[in-house]
Amino acid sequence: MSDDPICDHCADALLHASADGDGISVITLDTSLDMVIGVARILEARDALRTLVIVETPEGAPLNSVTDDVPETKLVTCTTASVATYLTTKGADAFVVAVDTIYSNGDCIAKVSSCNVALLAAALDIVPRYCMAPTNKINLNPISGDEYDCKQNSQFSSGHWNPTNDMIPNSFVTGIITEEGIIRKSAGGVCSFDVASFLSADDTSKVSSILHDSEKYQELTIDSIPHYLSNHAPNVMTVLGTTSFVDLDCSQVEGDDLNLVFVVTNSINGKKVVVKQALPYVKTAAESWPVPLKRALYEYTALKMQRDACPQNVPYVYYFSQIDAVIVMEYIPLSCIVLRQGLIGGVKFKTMAADMGSFVANALFKSSGFKLSAAELRQQVKFWSNNTSMCAIAERCVFTEPYIDAANNWWTTPHLDDYKKAIENDSALKLAAAKMKHKFVTKTEALLHADLHTDSVLCSPEGGQTFAIGPRFSFYGPMAFDVGAFIANLLLSYVSQGGHSNEEGYDEWILEQLNIFWKTFRKEFLRLWDDQVEHTGYKFQKSMFGEDKPSYVAAQEEFLAELLSDALGFAGMKMLKRIVGSNHVEDLESIADINVRAKCEIHGLEIAFCLIKNSRPPNSIDDVIGLAREKKPE
């Protein structure tokens, strides 16, 4: 696995193109090592790299750091003069090169000598032959002769032609790998690529571009998973402590509407991992509601970034395949239970609220402009902005449908009929909702989990073990959305307690957790803000304030006050959606007595109305807790 999805795509494509169980031999140039070494690292981690052949050029990078990632025994170097002899005697399975520009027909500009090696690879029918570059290197104009000369930066000296760049013709290339997928040659075409059509294609088409025509996405089963791990993820087999798929038992976990989830156990030593595969549709709607498989890439990347930010609260990812939409991750101990189930059952978690406050603060701060430069933030926003299909689900289900007459809505009837009608006729409520939707879409502050409800949290009642899972909706959005989502779910648990037989005072314990969550978040966020090691980004740089500490503190207070205000607005919208929208919560749905359930739901709606319309602007979390108590029915 790599920090660069281009490398992940390339490694996946090479693995699926290879039929050789002895590993893959990749040839590249030293001028491409910055990118290709990431591919080699992934192949090596999957025990799939036989050799990395590096053609040394005068312009290339030094090779002394390569052995940090690839064993020295798997490295082969040759010169531009000897590469032809090497390839004709030893061969290679794939040619991979990083390029500087991709043109609309698939011609590529790369460092000098790249064309020579590509020509040799094509002549010797080495397949595949991949060029790698991010989409911001694409130029949709066809290359002109003048531009080609300029790109080559040709220099004539004493009758010698000394170009610093090469053009690799599209006829030498079988695929162009970007962070969005693989651009393949046009149907029926021998040479030409349709780069423009690739850029305009939907996410599902781009993901499927990684596959060869003969390959299809297949859903995993409890029978196929042991073979899959043995064939594709040897490092996972190492984690499980076995080399044989025969030792593996597999069971399926139900309850996820967008994914297949399995627990794989080594029957000999008891070691476990979790295997998660994205489905191309929503289970409850089957093929009538398709969703892109590419969301697995975003979930994997979010897990990695959030673990980097807060390693104690995010499971470790052992393996990822974009093609199969599979993530294999750390198995969370049995001592941890789903937070929602615990709250329904009256479990008191010792450190859950504080752990979650710390996790949310670190995950948001470290992915935002407080930590990143403006340029780094823009790059992140560009990548995550492609998770449009998952964002569209939230925009529809949270910010639109609950406020109109939509087929997906449902509620406890007839008890809530008047409330639903009132929502649809409340112009002030709908205007407030529209404003919150605008913030959700346009305020690209930090990487959000974006689905931070109590089913997405596993924790131990004894404390010290709290994990946030399932960031499948992740994108760059307003920090307040994640904060508000967790607040909403605690409030939904609070209002549902009238329908559960938990010990007296448990509802007040939940409100205390709400208080702890926000205050821990605030304290940790301010700690990071004041830490010069952590606060390295462009946002509210301390140097801007000089010795004016009162203004610096005032800026912090104003920022957090606005964040809390927005968080409560988002919380209200989440609550309303869970009561009259398309997705409800088990906290309320598990209440068997319909009259009691409706009473609890009305309590939730009364809180939600106040939070969304901000009709009683809270100055603190204590005001929110007071509102929740005030709206509690007799």
Side-chain angles (χ1 to χ4, degrees), residues 232-297:
H232 295 279
N235 62 315
V236 174
M237 298 295 283
T238 300
V239 170
L240 289 167
T242 184
T243 57
S244 174
F245 68 86
V246 177
D247 295 337
L248 303 183
D249 292 333
C250 186
S251 60
Q252 188 166 354
V253 180
E254 300 295 341
D256 192 318
D257 210 26
L258 289 168
N259 302 279
L260 297 172
V261 182
F262 305 89
V263 175
V264 180
T265 306
N266 183 334
S267 59
I268 307 299
N269 60 26
K271 293 183 177 179
K272 302 174 186 286
V273 296
V274 173
V275 176
K276 185 174 186 179
Q277 184 183 38
L279 288 168
Y281 54 84
V282 178
K283 282 184 187 177
T284 52
E287 282 75 8
S288 66
W289 190 345
V291 285
L293 292 174
K294 188 178 178 180
R295 70 182 189 279
L297 168 65

Side-chain angles (χ1 to χ4, degrees), residues 485-507:
F486 197 68
I487 288 174
N489 277 265
L490 290 180
L491 287 172
L492 286 166
S493 178
Y494 168 73
V495 302
S496 76
Q497 290 306 308
H500 300 298
S501 302
N502 295 324
E503 67 179 69
E504 186 177 352
Y506 187 71
D507 56 347

Side-chain angles (χ1 to χ4, degrees), residues 378-397:
R378 291 188 185 101
Q379 283 293 96
Q380 290 293 337
V381 170
K382 179 182 178 182
F383 171 76
W384 290 98
S385 293
N386 289 316
N387 198 12
T388 53
S389 296
M390 300 307 284
C391 290
I393 293 175
E395 290 156 15
R396 183 178 77 183
C397 296

